[in-house]
Amino acid sequence: MLVLLPPSEGKAASGRGAPLKPEALSLPGLASARAAVLDELVELCAADEEKARTVLGLSEGLRGEIAKNVELRTAGTRPAGEIYTGVLYDALDLASLDTAAKRRAGKSLLVFSGLWGAVRVGDRIPSYRCSMGVKLPGLGALGAYWRGPLAEVMPEAAGDGLVLDLRSSAYTAAWKPKGEVAERTANVRVLHSQLVDGVEKRSVVSHFNKATKGRLVRDLLMAGARPEGPAELVEALRDLGYLVEAEAPGRAGRPWSLDVVVTEIH
């Protein structure tokens, strides 16, 4: 099982470990693309702080993120699973997983990134600020920039098992499974169900969508679930107590759509 996650906008501080070693990152086929983004991002932030703030879409209060980007090559690193914070990662709570679940997380979780393309949670990276929605002056929109490099490496990374896609729209634009890989991909949406005047109403949630996805991944890891495809994933989630409604693709080469329905949002 390969689980595709979005990063978080907010990130923990860089660690005290050794500086970035690009050659040690997973998916080495992305190395040259990563180097190009890193070079332009560091140069942009070092040369013109105001321009960098505009390009990165940062408020005045986040101006300090620019200095963080300038030091990307020399800053300390820590595992990506510790760098990424926020609602999904709080709910996933990688640090509290047992040893076996942590091992499964290291093998199955892949975080998409505007700077790195994609990294595994065990890859050591510095804290940074560069979302997939950024348009760098030289390389252009990162969502479009990463499509080619990711298309080269992701089919192999996906292997021959289930692909559980929990990314937000900005990150799905960088790589969309195609063909046979798409057929064993499950896209998940979280819906909130509530009674209004005796009638069930469902709505898409945002903040709590992330929390539910984090708990869902955690539960799968802790249970040691190994669904081979979307149909088996539905059964595994139902066994874990989730209310899941699944829609198989209507034609070949398309992913499954899964709705996880919750009655409480927290």
Side-chain angles (χ1 to χ4, degrees), residues 34-200:
R34 287 169 175 152
V37 179
L38 180 63
D39 286 347
E40 183 169 355
L41 182 62
V42 171
E43 181 179 349
L44 169 69
C45 292
D48 190 332
E49 185 175 289
E50 195 58 37
K51 181 178 180 180
R53 189 168 73 86
T54 299
V55 169
L56 297 176
L58 300 177
S59 66
E60 181 64 34
L62 292 174
R63 185 180 289 272
E65 298 291 286
I66 299 169
K68 181 189 295 184
N69 284 347
V70 174
E71 305 297 328
L72 283 172
R73 293 192 182 92
T74 57
T77 59
R78 61 202 305 180
E82 297 178 12
I83 288 289
Y84 296 117
T85 60
V87 178
L88 188 154
Y89 292 91
D90 286 347
L92 176 54
D93 195 7
L94 288 168
S96 70
L97 294 174
D98 61 38
T99 301
K102 284 181 180 177
R103 185 168 57 250
R104 288 189 284 270
K107 293 179 179 179
S108 63
L109 305 187
L110 196 65
V111 185
F112 276 62
S113 162
L115 174 54
W116 314 115
V119 291
R120 297 196 184 276
V121 291
D123 287 341
R124 300 191 66 92
I125 58 174
S127 186
Y128 68 96
R129 190 73 175 222
C130 184
S131 72
M132 193 67 81
V134 164
K135 184 177 181 179
L136 291 175
L139 297 177
L142 290 177
Y145 170 80
W146 280 113
R147 284 176 199 152
L150 286 167
E152 291 292 322
V153 305
M154 283 305 300
E156 181 179 353
D160 57 4
L162 168 71
V163 178
L164 174 53
D165 194 347
L166 302 177
R167 297 172 297 163
S168 52
S169 58
Y171 293 88
T172 59
W175 180 68
K176 295 182 179 180
K178 296 181 179 179
E180 181 269 336
V181 178
E183 293 174 5
R184 47 187 168 86
T185 296
N187 297 326
V188 174
R189 180 175 65 164
V190 179
L191 298 178
H192 179 218
S193 172
Q194 57 185 330
L195 290 177
V196 179
D197 296 328
V199 178
E200 183 193 27

